[in-house]
Amino acid sequence: MDSISIIGMISIITAGITIAVGSIAPALGEGKALSQALTAIAQQPDETPSITRTLFVGLAMIESTAIYCFVVALILIFANPFWDYVISGG
Amino acid sequence: MDSISIIGMISIITAGITIAVGSIAPALGEGKALSQALTAIAQQPDETPSITRTLFVGLAMIESTAIYCFVVALILIFANPFWDYVISGG
Amino acid sequence: MDSISIIGMISIITAGITIAVGSIAPALGEGKALSQALTAIAQQPDETPSITRTLFVGLAMIESTAIYCFVVALILIFANPFWDYVISGG
Amino acid sequence: MDSISIIGMISIITAGITIAVGSIAPALGEGKALSQALTAIAQQPDETPSITRTLFVGLAMIESTAIYCFVVALILIFANPFWDYVISGG
Amino acid sequence: MDSISIIGMISIITAGITIAVGSIAPALGEGKALSQALTAIAQQPDETPSITRTLFVGLAMIESTAIYCFVVALILIFANPFWDYVISGG
Amino acid sequence: MDSISIIGMISIITAGITIAVGSIAPALGEGKALSQALTAIAQQPDETPSITRTLFVGLAMIESTAIYCFVVALILIFANPFWDYVISGG
Amino acid sequence: MDSISIIGMISIITAGITIAVGSIAPALGEGKALSQALTAIAQQPDETPSITRTLFVGLAMIESTAIYCFVVALILIFANPFWDYVISGG
Amino acid sequence: MDSISIIGMISIITAGITIAVGSIAPALGEGKALSQALTAIAQQPDETPSITRTLFVGLAMIESTAIYCFVVALILIFANPFWDYVISGG
Amino acid sequence: MDSISIIGMISIITAGITIAVGSIAPALGEGKALSQALTAIAQQPDETPSITRTLFVGLAMIESTAIYCFVVALILIFANPFWDYVISGG
Amino acid sequence: MDSISIIGMISIITAGITIAVGSIAPALGEGKALSQALTAIAQQPDETPSITRTLFVGLAMIESTAIYCFVVALILIFANPFWDYVISGG
Amino acid sequence: MDSISIIGMISIITAGITIAVGSIAPALGEGKALSQALTAIAQQPDETPSITRTLFVGLAMIESTAIYCFVVALILIFANPFWDYVISGG
Amino acid sequence: MDSISIIGMISIITAGITIAVGSIAPALGEGKALSQALTAIAQQPDETPSITRTLFVGLAMIESTAIYCFVVALILIFANPFWDYVISGG
Amino acid sequence: MDSISIIGMISIITAGITIAVGSIAPALGEGKALSQALTAIAQQPDETPSITRTLFVGLAMIESTAIYCFVVALILIFANPFWDYVISGG
Amino acid sequence: MDSISIIGMISIITAGITIAVGSIAPALGEGKALSQALTAIAQQPDETPSITRTLFVGLAMIESTAIYCFVVALILIFANPFWDYVISGG
C-alpha cells in the first residue's frame, strides 16, 4: 500500500470510530440526567424553572464532549493535515 | 489490493459501524428517559405538560448524537473526499 | 482477491452487522420503556391515554435509530455506490 | 480463494450472525416487558384489557427489529445480488 | 482450500453458532417472564387464568426469535443454496 | 489441510461449542425460574399446585432451546451431510 | 500437520472446553436455586417437604444441561467417529 | 511440529483450562448457597438441621460439575487415548 | 511503509482514540453528578445556590480530564514533534 | 521449536494460568460466605457455634476447587508425563 | 521499519492511550464523589463548609492520578529520552 | 529462538501473570469480608471478639489462595525444573 | 529490529500502560471512600474530625498502590537497567 | 531477535503489567473497606477505636497482595536470574 491509501484509510476509520465511540457516553449521561430531571419535576413541581435551567446548563456541558469528538472527526475528513501533505506529493 | 479497493472497503465498513455503534447509546438513553417520564406522569399527572415538554427537548438533544453519526455515515457513502480523490486517479 | 470480491464481501458483512448491532439498543430501550408504561398504567389507570400517547411518540423516536441502521443496510445491499463503481469496471 | 467462495462464505456467515445477534435484544426486551405486564396485571386486575392491549402493540414494535434482521438474513441467503452477480460470471 | 471445503466449513460453523447464540436470549427472557408469572400468581391467585394466558402468548412470541435461528440453522445444514451450487460443480 | 481434515475439525469444534454455549442460558433461566417458584411457594403455600404446574410447563419451554442445540450438536457428530459428502469422495 | 494430529488436537480441545464452559451455568443456576430454597425454608418451615421436592426436581432439570455437555465431551474422547475414521486410514 | 508435540501441548493446555474454568462457577455457586444458608440459620435457628441437610445435598450436586471437569482433566493427563495412540507410533 | 506513512497513520489513530475514549468517563461522571444535583435541588430547594455552585466547580474539575485528552489530540494533529521531524527529512 | 521447548513452554504457562484463574472464584466465594457469616453472627449471636461450624465445612468445600487447580498445577510442574516422555527422548 | 519510526510510533500511541485510559477512573471517581457531596449538602445544609472542604481535598487527591498520567504523556511527547537517543544517531 | 530464550521468556511472563491475576480475587474477597466485619462490629459491638476471630480465620483461608499463586510464581523464577533442564544442556 | 529499538519500544509502552492501568483502581477506590466520608459527615457531623482523619490515612494507603505504579513507570523511562545495558553496547 | 532482547523485553513488560494489574484489586478492596469503616464510625461513634484497629489490620492484609506483586516486579527488574544468565553469555 502506498502512503495515500494508508493515510486515507486510517483517516476514514478514525473519523468514524471517533464520533461513534464519542457519542456513547454523552447520550447515556444525558439520558441519565434527563431521567432524573423528570423525577425531580414530579417530586417538586414548584422548582421546575430552577431544575430545567440547571439541566440545560449541564446538558450543554455534557454535549461538549460529544462535540469535541465531532470536531475531531470533521477535521480528519475535511481538514486533515496529514492527507494534505501526502496528496501534495509531500 | 489497490487504492480503490482499500478506500472503498474501509468507507463501507466505517459507515456501517459508525451508525450501528452510534445508535446504541441514544436508543438506550432515550429509553431510559422515556421510562422515567412515564413514571413521572403516573406520579404527578398534573405536571404532564411540563414533563413532556422537558422530555421532548431532552430527547432531541440525545437524538442529536445519533444524528452526528448518521451524518458521518452518509458523508462516507455519498460525499467521501478520499473516494473522490482516488477514483479521479488522484 | 480482486476489487469485486472485496467490495462485495465487505458490503455483505457490513450490511448484516449494521442491522444486527443496530437493532440491539432500540429493542432494549423499547422494552424498558414499555415495561415502565405498563407499570405506570397499573399505578395510575386514569392517565392511560396520556401515558400511551407519550409512549408511542417516544417509541417512534427510539425506533428511528433502528431505522437509520436498516436504511444504511439496504443502501449497502441494493444501492451501493462503491459496488456500482467496481462492477462498471470503474 | 476465488470470488464465488468468498461471496458464498461471507453470505452464510453474515446471514447466521445477523439473525443470531439480532434476536438477542428483542427476546430480552420482550421478556422484560412481559414480566412487567404480569406484575401490572397482578397489581391492577381491573386494567387487564388495557395492559394487554398496550403490551401487544409494544411487543409488535419490538419484534419488528427482529424481523428486520430476519429479512436481511433471508435476503442474503435467497436473494443476494452479490451472489447473483458472481455466479452469472459477473 | 477449495470451494467445497470452504463453503462446508462455514456452513457448519454458522449453523452451530446461530442456534447457540440465538438460544441465549430467548431462554433468559423466558426465564425472567416465567419467574415474574410465578410471583404474580403468588400475589394475586385469583388472576391465575389471565396471568397464565398472557404468559403463554408472550412466551410464544419470545420463542419465535429462537425459532427464526433454528430455521436458519437447519436451512444452512440441509437446504443450503450455496452448498448445492458448489457441489453441482457450479 | 485436505477437505476431510477441515470438515472433521470444524464439525467437532462446532458440536462442542454449540452445546456448551447453548446450555448456558437455559440453565441460568431455569435456575432463576426455579428460585422464584420456591419463593412463591413460601409466600403462598395454598397455590403450590398451580405454581408447580406453571413452573414445569415453563421449564419445558426453556429446556426446548437447550434441546435445539443438543439436536444440532448430535446432527453434526453423527448425521453430518457435509462429512458424508467428503468421505464419499464427493 | 497431518489429519490425525488435527483431529486429535481438536477433539481434545473441544472436549475440555465443552465440559468446562458447560458446567458454568448449571453450577450458577443450581447455586441460585439452592440459596432461594434455603431462604424459603427459613421463611416457611412448614412447607419444607414441598419446597425440597420442587427443588430437587428443578435441580435435576438444570443438571441435565451439564450432563448434555459431559456426554458430548466423553463422546469426543472415547467414541469419536471422526477420529475412528482417520486412524482407520479413512 | 510433529504429532507428539501437538497432542502433548494441547492435552496440557486443555487439562489446565478445563479444571481452571470449571472450578469458577461451582465455587461461586457454593459461596452463594453457603451465604444464604448462614442467613437462613440466623433467621430461623430452629430449622438448622433441615437447612444444613438441604445445603449439603445441594452443595454435593453443585460440586459434581466441578468433579466432571476434574475427571476430564485427569483423563487428559493420565489416560489420554489420543496421546496413547501417537506415542505408540499410531 | 516509510516513516512518513507510519508516523502519520499512528498520529491520526491516536488522536481519534484519545479524544473518543477520553470523553467517555467525563460524560458519564458529569451525567451522574448532574442527576444527583437535580435530585438534591428537588429535596432541598432552599439550598439551590450552594448546590449549583458546588456542582459547577465539580463539573469544571471533571471536564478538565476531557480537556487533557482534547489537548493531547490537537497536539498530535497540529503540533506533532515526531511528524515535524520526519517531514523535515529528519 | 523442538518438542522439548514446546512441552516445557506449555507446561509452565498452563501451570501458572491454572492456579491463577483457579484461585479467583474460591477467593470470591469464600469472601462472600465469610461476609455473610459475620452478618449472621451480628444478627443472631446465640447461634455463633452453629454458624461457624457450617461456615468452616462450607469453606472447606469451596477451598477444594482451589486445591484441584493447585494439584493440577503442581502435577504439570513436577510430575508431568508429557515432559517425562519428551526428555527421555520419547 | 527503522528505529526512528518505531520509537516515534510507539511514543505517540503510548502518550495517547496513557492520558485517555488514565482519565477514565478519575472522572468517574470525581463524578461519584461530587454526586455524594451534593446529596450530603441536601441532607445536612449546615455542614456545607465542612463537606465542600473535604470534597475539594479529596478531589485533588483523585485528580493527582490523572495528573500522573498527563505528566507521563507529555514526557513521552516532549522529553522522551528514547527518542532523543535515536534521533541523535544513538 | 532457541530453547533457553523460550523457556526463560515464558517463565517470566507466567510468574508475573500468576501473581498479578492471583492477587485480584483474594484482595477483593478480603475487602468484602473486612467491610462486612466492620458493619457487624458497628451493629453488635458486644460480639467484637467473636467477629474478629472468625474474620481472621476466614482471611487466612482466603489469603491461602494468594499464597498458592505466590508460591507458584517463586518456583517459576527460582526453582524452575524446565529452566534447570535447558541450561544444563538438557 | 535491533535490540535498541525493541527495548526502547517496550519500555515506552510498558511505562505508559503501567501508570494508566495503575491509576484506575486507586481513583475509583478513593472516589468511593470519599463519597462515603461525605455521607458519614452528613449523618454524624459531630464525628467529622475522626472521620476525616481515618479518611486521609486510608486515602494515603490507597494512593500508595498508584505510587508503586508511578515509580515503576519512572524507573522504566529514566533508570532502566535493560536500556542502559543495550545502549552501552552490552 | 537474540536472547538478550527477548529476555529484556519480556522482563520489562511483565514487571509493568504485574504491578499495574496487581494494584487494581487491593486499591478497590481497600476503598471498599475504608468506605465501610467510615459508615461504621458514623453509626457507632463509640466503637471508633475497635473499628479503626480492625480496619488497619485488615488493610495491611489486603495491601500484602499488592506488595507480593511489587516484589515480583522489582525482582524482574533488578534481580532477574534469567537476565543475569543471558548477559553472562549463558
Side-chain angles (χ1 to χ4, degrees):
Chain A
M1 293 191 290
D2 58 347
S3 288
I4 290 181
S5 301
I6 293 171
I7 297 293
M9 179 180 78
I10 291 297
S11 300
I12 295 170
I13 293 176
T14 307
I17 289 176
T18 300
I19 186 61
V21 171
S23 76
I24 291 174
L28 293 178
E30 292 177 5
K32 187 178 179 70
L34 182 53
S35 310
Q36 206 59 40
L38 297 168
T39 307
I41 291 174
Q43 285 174 346
Q44 201 77 359
D46 297 343
E47 289 300 310
T48 303
S50 136
I51 288 168
T52 53
R53 199 183 50 233
T54 307
L55 175 68
F56 292 144
V57 172
L59 287 185
M61 205 137 178
I62 297 173
E63 189 81 11
S64 73
T65 64
I67 289 174
Y68 295 163
C69 293
F70 194 45
V71 165
V72 170
L74 292 184
I75 286 174
L76 291 180
I77 296 176
F78 294 116
N80 189 329
F82 304 101
W83 174 256
D84 293 347
Y85 181 84
V86 296
I87 67 177
S88 67
Chain B
M1 294 191 290
D2 59 345
S3 289
I4 290 182
S5 302
I6 293 171
I7 296 293
M9 178 181 78
I10 291 298
S11 299
I12 295 170
I13 293 175
T14 308
I17 288 177
T18 300
I19 186 60
V21 171
S23 76
I24 291 174
L28 293 178
E30 292 178 4
K32 187 178 179 70
L34 182 53
S35 311
Q36 205 60 40
L38 297 168
T39 307
I41 290 174
Q43 285 175 345
Q44 200 77 359
D46 298 342
E47 290 300 311
T48 303
S50 136
I51 288 168
T52 53
R53 200 183 49 233
T54 307
L55 176 68
F56 292 145
V57 172
L59 287 185
M61 205 138 178
I62 297 173
E63 188 81 11
S64 73
T65 64
I67 289 174
Y68 294 163
C69 293
F70 194 45
V71 164
V72 170
L74 292 184
I75 286 174
L76 291 180
I77 296 176
F78 294 116
N80 188 330
F82 304 101
W83 174 256
D84 294 347
Y85 181 84
V86 296
I87 67 177
S88 66
Chain C
M1 294 191 291
D2 60 345
S3 289
I4 290 181
S5 302
I6 294 171
I7 297 293
M9 178 180 77
I10 290 297
S11 299
I12 295 171
I13 293 176
T14 308
I17 288 177
T18 300
I19 185 61
V21 170
S23 75
I24 290 174
L28 293 179
E30 291 177 5
K32 187 178 179 70
L34 182 53
S35 310
Q36 205 60 39
L38 298 168
T39 306
I41 291 174
Q43 284 175 345
Q44 200 77 359
D46 298 342
E47 290 300 310
T48 302
S50 136
I51 288 168
T52 53
R53 200 183 50 234
T54 308
L55 176 69
F56 292 144
V57 172
L59 287 186
M61 204 138 179
I62 297 173
E63 189 80 11
S64 73
T65 64
I67 290 174
Y68 294 163
C69 293
F70 194 45
V71 164
V72 170
L74 292 184
I75 286 173
L76 291 180
I77 296 176
F78 294 115
N80 189 328
F82 304 101
W83 174 256
D84 294 346
Y85 180 83
V86 296
I87 67 177
S88 67
Chain D
M1 293 191 291
D2 60 345
S3 288
I4 291 182
S5 302
I6 294 171
I7 297 293
M9 177 180 77
I10 290 297
S11 299
I12 296 171
I13 293 176
T14 308
I17 289 177
T18 300
I19 185 61
V21 171
S23 75
I24 290 174
L28 293 179
E30 291 177 6
K32 187 179 179 70
L34 181 54
S35 309
Q36 205 60 41
L38 297 168
T39 307
I41 291 174
Q43 285 174 346
Q44 200 77 359
D46 298 342
E47 290 299 311
T48 302
S50 137
I51 288 168
T52 52
R53 200 182 50 233
T54 308
L55 175 69
F56 292 145
V57 172
L59 287 186
M61 205 137 179
I62 297 173
E63 188 80 11
S64 74
T65 64
I67 290 173
Y68 294 164
C69 294
F70 194 45
V71 164
V72 170
L74 292 184
I75 287 173
L76 291 180
I77 295 176
F78 294 115
N80 189 329
F82 304 100
W83 174 256
D84 294 347
Y85 180 84
V86 296
I87 66 177
S88 67
Chain E
M1 293 190 292
D2 59 345
S3 288
I4 290 181
S5 302
I6 294 171
I7 297 293
M9 177 181 77
I10 290 298
S11 300
I12 296 171
I13 293 176
T14 308
I17 289 177
T18 300
I19 184 61
V21 171
S23 75
I24 290 174
L28 293 178
E30 292 177 5
K32 187 179 179 70
L34 181 54
S35 309
Q36 205 59 41
L38 297 168
T39 306
I41 291 174
Q43 285 174 345
Q44 200 77 0
D46 297 343
E47 290 299 312
T48 302
S50 138
I51 287 169
T52 53
R53 200 182 51 233
T54 308
L55 176 69
F56 292 144
V57 172
L59 287 185
M61 205 138 179
I62 297 174
E63 189 79 10
S64 74
T65 64
I67 290 173
Y68 294 165
C69 293
F70 194 45
V71 164
V72 171
L74 292 185
I75 287 173
L76 290 180
I77 295 176
F78 293 116
N80 189 329
F82 303 101
W83 174 255
D84 293 347
Y85 180 83
V86 295
I87 66 177
S88 67
Chain F
M1 293 191 291
D2 60 346
S3 288
I4 290 182
S5 302
I6 294 171
I7 297 293
M9 178 181 77
I10 291 298
S11 300
I12 296 171
I13 293 176
T14 308
I17 289 177
T18 300
I19 184 61
V21 171
S23 75
I24 290 174
L28 294 178
E30 292 177 6
K32 186 179 180 71
L34 181 54
S35 309
Q36 205 60 40
L38 297 168
T39 306
I41 291 174
Q43 284 175 345
Q44 201 77 1
D46 297 343
E47 290 299 311
T48 302
S50 137
I51 288 169
T52 52
R53 201 182 49 233
T54 308
L55 175 69
F56 292 144
V57 172
L59 287 186
M61 205 138 179
I62 297 174
E63 188 79 10
S64 74
T65 65
I67 289 173
Y68 293 165
C69 293
F70 194 45
V71 165
V72 170
L74 292 184
I75 287 173
L76 291 180
I77 295 176
F78 293 116
N80 189 329
F82 303 101
W83 174 255
D84 294 346
Y85 181 84
V86 296
I87 66 177
S88 67
Chain G
M1 294 192 290
D2 59 346
S3 288
I4 290 182
S5 302
I6 294 171
I7 296 294
M9 178 180 78
I10 291 297
S11 300
I12 296 171
I13 293 176
T14 308
I17 289 177
T18 301
I19 184 61
V21 171
S23 76
I24 290 175
L28 293 178
E30 291 177 6
K32 186 178 180 73
L34 181 54
S35 309
Q36 206 60 40
L38 297 168
T39 307
I41 291 174
Q43 284 174 346
Q44 201 76 2
D46 296 344
E47 290 299 312
T48 302
S50 137
I51 288 168
T52 52
R53 200 182 50 233
T54 309
L55 175 70
F56 292 144
V57 172
L59 287 186
M61 204 137 180
I62 297 174
E63 188 80 10
S64 73
T65 65
I67 289 172
Y68 294 165
C69 293
F70 194 46
V71 165
V72 171
L74 292 184
I75 288 172
L76 291 180
I77 295 176
F78 293 116
N80 190 329
F82 304 102
W83 174 256
D84 294 346
Y85 181 83
V86 295
I87 66 176
S88 67
Chain H
M1 296 191 289
D2 59 346
S3 288
I4 291 182
S5 301
I6 293 171
I7 296 294
M9 178 180 78
I10 291 298
S11 300
I12 296 171
I13 293 176
T14 308
I17 289 177
T18 300
I19 184 61
V21 171
S23 75
I24 290 175
L28 293 178
E30 292 177 5
K32 187 178 179 73
L34 181 54
S35 308
Q36 207 59 42
L38 297 168
T39 307
I41 291 174
Q43 284 174 348
Q44 202 75 2
D46 297 344
E47 290 299 312
T48 302
S50 136
I51 288 168
T52 52
R53 200 183 48 234
T54 309
L55 174 69
F56 292 144
V57 172
L59 287 186
M61 204 137 179
I62 297 174
E63 189 79 10
S64 73
T65 65
I67 289 172
Y68 294 164
C69 293
F70 194 46
V71 165
V72 170
L74 292 184
I75 287 172
L76 290 180
I77 295 177
F78 294 116
N80 189 329
F82 304 102
W83 174 255
D84 293 346
Y85 181 83
V86 296
I87 66 176
S88 67
Chain I
M1 294 191 290
D2 58 347
S3 289
I4 290 182
S5 302
I6 294 171
I7 296 293
M9 179 180 79
I10 291 296
S11 299
I12 295 170
I13 293 175
T14 308
I17 289 176
T18 300
I19 185 60
V21 171
S23 75
I24 290 174
L28 293 178
E30 292 178 5
K32 187 178 178 69
L34 182 53
S35 310
Q36 207 59 41
L38 297 167
T39 308
I41 291 174
Q43 285 174 346
Q44 201 78 0
D46 297 343
E47 290 299 311
T48 303
S50 136
I51 288 168
T52 53
R53 200 182 50 233
T54 307
L55 174 69
F56 292 145
V57 172
L59 287 186
M61 205 137 178
I62 298 173
E63 188 80 11
S64 73
T65 64
I67 289 174
Y68 294 163
C69 293
F70 194 46
V71 164
V72 170
L74 292 184
I75 287 173
L76 291 179
I77 296 176
F78 294 116
N80 189 328
F82 305 101
W83 174 255
D84 293 347
Y85 181 84
V86 295
I87 66 176
S88 66
Chain J
M1 296 192 289
D2 59 347
S3 288
I4 290 182
S5 301
I6 293 171
I7 297 294
M9 178 180 78
I10 291 298
S11 300
I12 296 171
I13 293 175
T14 308
I17 288 177
T18 300
I19 184 61
V21 171
S23 75
I24 290 175
L28 292 178
E30 292 178 4
K32 187 179 179 70
L34 181 53
S35 308
Q36 207 59 42
L38 297 168
T39 307
I41 290 173
Q43 284 174 347
Q44 202 76 2
D46 297 344
E47 290 299 313
T48 302
S50 136
I51 287 168
T52 52
R53 200 183 49 233
T54 309
L55 175 70
F56 292 143
V57 172
L59 287 186
M61 204 138 178
I62 298 174
E63 189 79 10
S64 73
T65 65
I67 289 172
Y68 294 164
C69 293
F70 194 46
V71 164
V72 170
L74 292 184
I75 287 172
L76 291 180
I77 295 177
F78 293 115
N80 190 329
F82 304 103
W83 174 256
D84 293 346
Y85 181 83
V86 296
I87 65 177
S88 67
Chain K
M1 295 191 290
D2 57 347
S3 289
I4 290 182
S5 301
I6 293 171
I7 296 293
M9 179 180 79
I10 291 297
S11 299
I12 296 170
I13 293 175
T14 308
I17 288 176
T18 300
I19 185 62
V21 171
S23 75
I24 290 174
L28 293 178
E30 292 178 4
K32 187 178 179 70
L34 182 53
S35 310
Q36 206 59 41
L38 297 168
T39 307
I41 290 174
Q43 285 173 347
Q44 201 77 1
D46 297 343
E47 290 299 312
T48 303
S50 136
I51 288 168
T52 52
R53 200 182 49 233
T54 307
L55 175 69
F56 292 145
V57 172
L59 287 186
M61 205 138 177
I62 298 173
E63 189 80 11
S64 74
T65 64
I67 288 174
Y68 295 163
C69 294
F70 194 46
V71 164
V72 170
L74 292 184
I75 287 173
L76 291 179
I77 296 177
F78 294 116
N80 190 327
F82 305 101
W83 175 254
D84 293 346
Y85 181 83
V86 296
I87 67 176
S88 67
Chain L
M1 296 192 289
D2 59 346
S3 288
I4 290 182
S5 301
I6 293 170
I7 297 293
M9 178 179 78
I10 291 298
S11 300
I12 295 171
I13 293 176
T14 308
I17 289 176
T18 300
I19 185 61
V21 171
S23 75
I24 290 175
L28 292 178
E30 292 178 4
K32 187 179 180 70
L34 181 53
S35 309
Q36 207 59 42
L38 297 168
T39 307
I41 290 174
Q43 284 174 348
Q44 202 76 1
D46 297 343
E47 290 299 312
T48 303
S50 136
I51 288 168
T52 52
R53 199 183 49 234
T54 309
L55 175 69
F56 292 144
V57 172
L59 287 186
M61 204 139 177
I62 298 173
E63 189 79 10
S64 73
T65 64
I67 289 172
Y68 294 164
C69 294
F70 194 46
V71 164
V72 170
L74 293 184
I75 287 172
L76 290 180
I77 296 177
F78 294 115
N80 190 328
F82 304 102
W83 174 255
D84 293 346
Y85 181 83
V86 295
I87 66 177
S88 67
Chain M
M1 295 192 289
D2 58 347
S3 289
I4 290 182
S5 301
I6 293 171
I7 297 294
M9 178 180 79
I10 291 298
S11 299
I12 295 171
I13 293 175
T14 308
I17 288 176
T18 300
I19 185 62
V21 171
S23 75
I24 291 174
L28 293 179
E30 292 178 4
K32 187 178 180 69
L34 182 53
S35 309
Q36 207 58 41
L38 297 169
T39 307
I41 291 174
Q43 284 173 348
Q44 201 76 0
D46 297 344
E47 290 299 311
T48 302
S50 136
I51 288 168
T52 51
R53 201 183 47 234
T54 308
L55 174 70
F56 292 144
V57 171
L59 287 186
M61 205 139 177
I62 298 173
E63 189 80 10
S64 73
T65 65
I67 289 173
Y68 295 164
C69 293
F70 194 45
V71 164
V72 170
L74 292 184
I75 287 173
L76 291 180
I77 296 177
F78 293 116
N80 190 327
F82 305 102
W83 174 254
D84 293 346
Y85 180 83
V86 296
I87 66 177
S88 67
Chain N
M1 296 192 289
D2 58 347
S3 288
I4 291 182
S5 301
I6 293 171
I7 297 293
M9 178 179 79
I10 290 298
S11 300
I12 296 171
I13 293 175
T14 308
I17 288 176
T18 300
I19 185 61
V21 171
S23 75
I24 291 174
L28 292 179
E30 292 178 4
K32 187 178 180 70
L34 181 53
S35 309
Q36 207 59 41
L38 297 168
T39 307
I41 290 174
Q43 284 174 348
Q44 201 76 359
D46 297 343
E47 290 299 311
T48 303
S50 135
I51 288 169
T52 51
R53 200 182 50 233
T54 308
L55 175 69
F56 292 144
V57 172
L59 287 186
M61 204 140 179
I62 298 174
E63 189 80 11
S64 73
T65 65
I67 289 173
Y68 295 164
C69 294
F70 194 46
V71 164
V72 170
L74 293 184
I75 287 172
L76 291 180
I77 296 177
F78 293 116
N80 190 327
F82 304 101
W83 174 255
D84 294 346
Y85 181 83
V86 296
I87 66 177
S88 67

